[in-house]
Every structure is written in C-alpha cells, then in structure tokens.
Amino acid sequence: MSAISRPLCSSTSRAAAVASTSLRCSLPARASAAPLPGQQQQQQQQQQQRRQQQLRGGSTFCAAAAVEAARTASGPPPAPPRSAVITDDPANNVTDYIYSKMGINLHHQPDHPIGIIKQTIQSFFESQYPNTFTCFDDLYPVVSTKANFDEVLVPADHVSRSSNDTYYVSSDTVLRCHTSAHQAEMLRRGEGAFLLTGEPWWVGVANSATD
C-alpha cells in the first residue's frame, strides 16, 4: 500500500458483514511542509476542479450535504438486473432469495442504524479533513474475482474463495465480499482519499444480514 493510500480503517470483519455494510477508509499522505502562497492558490484551484468533476461523475464529497439529501430523496440505487446476477454459468450459486435482498441498501436509509453510522463516519472525516475525502456508496456489487481476492492479496487456496463462502456470478465474477474489492479500482482512477460504503455478500451471513 503506497503512502498516499494508507488504510485507516476497514470494518470488513464478520461483525460488519452481519451489520450488512462495510466501510473502507483511505488517508492521503500528509504534506511535509506548508505550501507557498502561489502553490496554495494552485492547489485550491485543483481542488475546485476535482470537486466539480466528482459531482459530475456521481460521487460526492462528504461535506456535500445537499447532494446527499437529494440522493436520499430520490431513493437508493436499484438492484442490478436479475439476469446480471443469476446466470446459467456452472459456477453461479446466487439464489432468488439472495437476489431479493439486493437493492435494500440499508446504508442509504438515513434513519436506519447503519445509515446513521455511515453519516457519522463521513461527518467525522469531513470535520477532521475538510474537502479531502470523496464518498462512494453506490458502487456496482458485482466485481471480478481478481478485484475481490487477488488485488487484496487473498491466497489462491484461501477458504474464502470457496463457493461455500462466496456468491459466484460466474467463474470470474462474484458479489463483492467486502468494499476493499473496489480499493485498487479507486487508486487506478486517481482517488487518493476516499470512503467506501456498501453491502457485503457472504454465503450464510448475507442470508440474514439484509433482513
């Protein structure tokens, strides 16, 4: 993990899975010295451009309460099409019951304990690092096995790769087991400071966690 993306916290334990959400936090590297006046103005301009790009792209800064409120009013992101999750692939083990839980998105419900926790965490980071963290909470739940396992250094023979533990959409795609599955993607996109929230899907745990 590079210094620009030191993991600060990740509630991707089984306790977090039972709570039906996982959070991934990434801190930016601290500057070694205060910027010169000209550099500070340039940094402010770059920050403003980045904010505008991110709002156009569908992500929000944690401070953008109006954007979050508008998103909440419009409802949580819909579930993927059934045909995108339950397939004829021999490796597929997603059931209709599990699919029926997709789209509930407890972390998008402002009065649900999980939604309250998400808002509290986002507010904390915004208060400590104003206009620094980008919040993502509607990323697509189907990810590659490479993103879910390989890019977070899960050994090839680890039990979590088993179909007894993971919901496979196909032999090379799964329902994410944790939001860390999006971490490398965010870094490749140039995100250096971000908060990820989303529902994890584990066999056995997801059966009851989204009720």
Side-chain angles (χ1 to χ4, degrees), residues 18-61:
V18 171
S20 185
T21 192
S22 60
L23 292 162
R24 187 69 186 178
C25 312
S26 179
L27 268 179
R30 291 184 180 273
S32 57
L36 297 176
Q39 293 175 328
Q40 188 174 21
Q41 183 178 8
Q42 184 179 11
Q43 288 175 357
Q44 290 174 346
Q45 292 173 346
Q46 290 174 344
Q47 272 192 348
Q48 181 63 25
Q49 292 173 353
R50 185 166 176 264
R51 278 197 290 270
Q52 293 172 351
Q53 291 172 352
Q54 287 166 331
L55 289 174
R56 285 196 299 269
S59 62
T60 65
F61 269 90

Coordinates of all heavy atoms in Angstrom, one line a residue, residues 18-61:
V18 N -22.4 -8.9 9.3 CA -23.7 -9.1 9.9 C -24.5 -7.8 9.9 O -25.7 -7.7 9.8 CB -23.5 -9.6 11.3 CG1 -24.9 -9.7 12.0 CG2 -23.0 -11.1 11.2
A19 N -23.8 -6.7 10.1 CA -24.4 -5.4 10.1 C -24.8 -4.9 8.7 O -25.4 -3.9 8.5 CB -23.5 -4.3 10.7
S20 N -24.5 -5.7 7.7 CA -24.9 -5.5 6.3 C -24.2 -4.4 5.6 O -24.7 -3.8 4.7 CB -26.4 -5.3 6.2 OG -26.8 -5.3 4.9
T21 N -23.0 -4.0 6.1 CA -22.3 -2.9 5.4 C -20.8 -3.0 5.7 O -20.5 -3.6 6.7 CB -22.8 -1.5 5.7 OG1 -22.3 -0.6 4.8 CG2 -22.5 -1.1 7.1
S22 N -20.0 -2.5 4.9 CA -18.6 -2.4 5.2 C -18.1 -1.1 4.7 O -18.5 -0.5 3.7 CB -17.8 -3.6 4.5 OG -17.9 -3.5 3.1
L23 N -17.1 -0.6 5.4 CA -16.6 0.7 5.1 C -15.1 0.6 4.9 O -14.4 -0.2 5.6 CB -16.8 1.7 6.3 CG -18.2 2.1 6.6 CD1 -18.3 2.7 8.0 CD2 -18.7 3.1 5.6
R24 N -14.6 1.3 3.9 CA -13.2 1.3 3.6 C -12.7 2.8 3.6 O -13.3 3.6 3.0 CB -12.9 0.7 2.3 CG -11.4 0.5 2.0 CD -10.8 -0.6 2.9 NE -9.4 -0.7 2.8 CZ -8.6 -1.5 3.5 NH1 -9.2 -2.3 4.4 NH2 -7.3 -1.6 3.3
C25 N -11.7 3.1 4.4 CA -11.2 4.4 4.5 C -9.7 4.5 4.0 O -9.0 3.6 4.3 CB -11.2 4.9 5.9 SG -12.8 4.6 6.8
S26 N -9.4 5.6 3.3 CA -8.1 5.7 2.8 C -7.6 7.2 3.1 O -8.3 8.1 2.7 CB -8.0 5.4 1.3 OG -6.7 5.6 0.8
L27 N -6.5 7.3 3.8 CA -6.0 8.6 4.2 C -5.0 9.1 3.2 O -4.1 8.3 2.7 CB -5.3 8.6 5.5 CG -6.2 8.9 6.7 CD1 -5.4 8.8 8.0 CD2 -6.8 10.3 6.6
P28 N -5.0 10.4 2.8 CA -3.9 10.9 2.0 C -2.6 11.1 2.8 O -2.6 11.2 4.0 CB -4.5 12.3 1.6 CG -5.3 12.7 2.7 CD -5.9 11.4 3.3
A29 N -1.5 11.1 2.1 CA -0.2 11.4 2.7 C -0.2 12.8 3.2 O -0.8 13.8 2.6 CB 0.9 11.2 1.7
R30 N 0.3 13.1 4.4 CA 0.4 14.4 4.9 C 1.5 15.2 4.2 O 2.6 14.6 4.0 CB 0.7 14.4 6.4 CG -0.5 13.8 7.2 CD -0.2 13.9 8.7 NE -1.3 13.5 9.5 CZ -2.3 14.2 9.9 NH1 -2.4 15.5 9.5 NH2 -3.3 13.7 10.6
A31 N 1.3 16.5 4.0 CA 2.3 17.3 3.4 C 3.5 17.5 4.3 O 3.2 17.7 5.5 CB 1.7 18.6 2.9
S32 N 4.7 17.5 3.8 CA 5.8 17.6 4.7 C 6.1 19.1 5.1 O 6.7 19.4 6.1 CB 7.1 17.1 4.1 OG 7.3 17.7 2.8
A33 N 5.6 20.0 4.3 CA 5.8 21.4 4.6 C 4.6 22.2 4.1 O 3.9 21.8 3.2 CB 7.1 21.9 4.0
A34 N 4.4 23.4 4.7 CA 3.3 24.2 4.2 C 3.5 24.8 2.8 O 4.7 25.1 2.5 CB 3.1 25.4 5.2
P35 N 2.5 24.8 1.9 CA 2.7 25.3 0.6 C 3.0 26.8 0.5 O 2.5 27.5 1.4 CB 1.4 24.9 -0.1 CG 0.4 24.9 1.0 CD 1.2 24.4 2.2
L36 N 3.8 27.2 -0.5 CA 4.0 28.6 -0.7 C 2.7 29.2 -1.2 O 1.8 28.6 -1.7 CB 5.1 28.8 -1.7 CG 6.5 28.3 -1.3 CD1 7.5 28.4 -2.5 CD2 7.0 29.0 -0.1
P37 N 2.5 30.6 -1.1 CA 1.3 31.3 -1.5 C 0.8 30.9 -2.9 O -0.3 30.6 -3.1 CB 1.6 32.7 -1.3 CG 2.7 32.8 -0.3 CD 3.5 31.5 -0.5
G38 N 1.8 30.9 -3.8 CA 1.4 30.6 -5.2 C 1.0 29.1 -5.4 O 0.0 28.8 -6.1
Q39 N 1.6 28.2 -4.6 CA 1.3 26.8 -4.7 C -0.1 26.6 -4.0 O -0.9 25.8 -4.5 CB 2.4 26.0 -3.9 CG 3.7 26.0 -4.6 CD 4.8 25.2 -3.8 OE1 4.7 25.3 -2.6 NE2 5.7 24.6 -4.5
Q40 N -0.3 27.3 -2.9 CA -1.6 27.2 -2.2 C -2.8 27.6 -3.2 O -3.8 26.9 -3.2 CB -1.6 28.1 -1.0 CG -2.8 27.8 -0.1 CD -2.7 28.6 1.2 OE1 -2.0 29.6 1.3 NE2 -3.5 28.2 2.2
Q41 N -2.6 28.7 -3.9 CA -3.7 29.1 -4.8 C -3.9 28.0 -5.9 O -5.0 27.7 -6.3 CB -3.3 30.4 -5.5 CG -4.4 31.0 -6.4 CD -4.0 32.3 -7.0 OE1 -2.9 32.8 -6.8 NE2 -4.9 33.0 -7.7
Q42 N -2.8 27.5 -6.4 CA -2.9 26.4 -7.4 C -3.6 25.2 -6.9 O -4.4 24.6 -7.6 CB -1.5 26.1 -8.0 CG -1.5 25.0 -9.1 CD -0.1 24.7 -9.6 OE1 0.9 25.1 -9.0 NE2 0.0 24.0 -10.7
Q43 N -3.3 24.8 -5.7 CA -3.9 23.7 -5.0 C -5.4 23.9 -4.8 O -6.2 23.0 -5.0 CB -3.2 23.4 -3.7 CG -1.8 22.8 -3.8 CD -1.1 22.6 -2.5 OE1 -1.7 23.0 -1.4 NE2 0.0 22.0 -2.5
Q44 N -5.8 25.1 -4.5 CA -7.2 25.4 -4.3 C -7.9 25.3 -5.6 O -9.1 24.8 -5.6 CB -7.3 26.8 -3.7 CG -6.9 26.9 -2.2 CD -6.9 28.3 -1.7 OE1 -7.0 29.3 -2.5 NE2 -6.8 28.5 -0.4
Q45 N -7.3 25.8 -6.7 CA -7.9 25.7 -8.0 C -8.1 24.2 -8.4 O -9.1 23.8 -8.9 CB -7.1 26.4 -9.0 CG -7.1 28.0 -8.8 CD -6.2 28.7 -9.8 OE1 -5.3 28.0 -10.4 NE2 -6.3 30.0 -9.9
Q46 N -7.1 23.4 -8.1 CA -7.1 22.0 -8.5 C -8.2 21.3 -7.7 O -8.9 20.4 -8.2 CB -5.8 21.3 -8.2 CG -4.7 21.8 -9.2 CD -3.3 21.2 -8.9 OE1 -3.1 20.8 -7.7 NE2 -2.4 21.3 -9.8
Q47 N -8.3 21.6 -6.4 CA -9.4 21.1 -5.5 C -10.7 21.4 -6.1 O -11.6 20.5 -6.1 CB -9.2 21.6 -4.1 CG -8.3 20.7 -3.2 CD -8.4 21.1 -1.8 OE1 -9.0 22.1 -1.4 NE2 -7.8 20.3 -0.9
Q48 N -10.9 22.7 -6.5 CA -12.2 23.1 -7.0 C -12.6 22.3 -8.3 O -13.7 21.9 -8.5 CB -12.2 24.6 -7.3 CG -13.5 25.1 -7.8 CD -14.7 25.0 -6.8 OE1 -14.4 24.9 -5.6 NE2 -15.9 24.9 -7.3
Q49 N -11.6 22.1 -9.2 CA -11.8 21.4 -10.4 C -12.2 19.9 -10.1 O -13.0 19.3 -10.7 CB -10.6 21.5 -11.3 CG -10.3 22.8 -11.9 CD -9.0 22.9 -12.6 OE1 -8.2 22.0 -12.6 NE2 -8.7 24.0 -13.2
R50 N -11.5 19.4 -9.1 CA -11.7 18.0 -8.7 C -13.1 17.8 -8.2 O -13.8 16.8 -8.4 CB -10.7 17.5 -7.7 CG -10.7 16.1 -7.3 CD -9.4 15.7 -6.6 NE -9.5 14.3 -6.2 CZ -9.9 13.9 -4.9 NH1 -10.2 14.9 -4.0 NH2 -10.0 12.7 -4.6
R51 N -13.5 18.8 -7.3 CA -14.9 18.7 -6.8 C -15.9 18.7 -7.9 O -16.9 17.9 -7.9 CB -15.1 19.9 -5.8 CG -14.6 19.7 -4.4 CD -15.2 20.7 -3.5 NE -14.8 22.0 -3.8 CZ -13.7 22.6 -3.2 NH1 -13.0 21.9 -2.4 NH2 -13.4 23.8 -3.5
Q52 N -15.8 19.6 -8.9 CA -16.7 19.7 -10.0 C -16.7 18.4 -10.8 O -17.8 17.9 -11.2 CB -16.4 20.9 -10.9 CG -16.6 22.2 -10.2 CD -16.0 23.4 -11.0 OE1 -15.4 23.2 -12.0 NE2 -16.3 24.6 -10.6
Q53 N -15.6 17.8 -11.0 CA -15.5 16.6 -11.8 C -16.2 15.5 -11.1 O -16.9 14.6 -11.6 CB -14.0 16.2 -12.1 CG -13.4 17.2 -13.1 CD -11.9 16.9 -13.2 OE1 -11.3 16.1 -12.4 NE2 -11.2 17.6 -14.1
Q54 N -16.0 15.4 -9.8 CA -16.5 14.3 -9.0 C -18.1 14.4 -8.9 O -18.8 13.4 -8.9 CB -15.9 14.3 -7.6 CG -14.5 13.7 -7.6 CD -13.7 14.0 -6.3 OE1 -14.0 15.0 -5.7 NE2 -12.8 13.2 -6.0
L55 N -18.6 15.6 -8.7 CA -20.0 15.8 -8.7 C -20.6 15.4 -10.0 O -21.7 14.8 -10.0 CB -20.3 17.2 -8.3 CG -20.0 17.6 -6.8 CD1 -20.3 19.1 -6.6 CD2 -20.9 16.8 -5.9
R56 N -20.0 15.8 -11.1 CA -20.5 15.4 -12.4 C -20.4 13.9 -12.6 O -21.3 13.3 -13.3 CB -19.7 16.1 -13.5 CG -20.0 17.5 -13.7 CD -19.5 18.0 -15.0 NE -18.0 17.9 -15.1 CZ -17.2 18.8 -14.8 NH1 -17.6 20.0 -14.3 NH2 -15.9 18.6 -14.9
G57 N -19.4 13.2 -12.0 CA -19.2 11.8 -12.1 C -20.1 10.9 -11.2 O -20.0 9.7 -11.3
G58 N -20.8 11.5 -10.3 CA -21.8 10.8 -9.5 C -21.3 10.5 -8.1 O -22.0 10.0 -7.3
S59 N -20.0 10.9 -7.8 CA -19.5 10.7 -6.4 C -19.7 12.1 -5.7 O -19.9 13.1 -6.3 CB -18.1 10.3 -6.4 OG -17.3 11.3 -7.0
T60 N -19.7 12.1 -4.4 CA -19.9 13.3 -3.6 C -18.8 13.5 -2.6 O -18.3 12.5 -2.0 CB -21.3 13.3 -2.9 OG1 -21.3 12.3 -1.9 CG2 -22.4 13.1 -3.9
F61 N -18.5 14.7 -2.3 CA -17.7 15.0 -1.1 C -18.5 14.8 0.1 O -19.7 15.1 0.1 CB -17.1 16.4 -1.2 CG -15.8 16.5 -1.9 CD1 -15.8 16.7 -3.2 CD2 -14.6 16.3 -1.2 CE1 -14.5 16.8 -3.9 CE2 -13.4 16.4 -1.8 CZ -13.4 16.6 -3.2

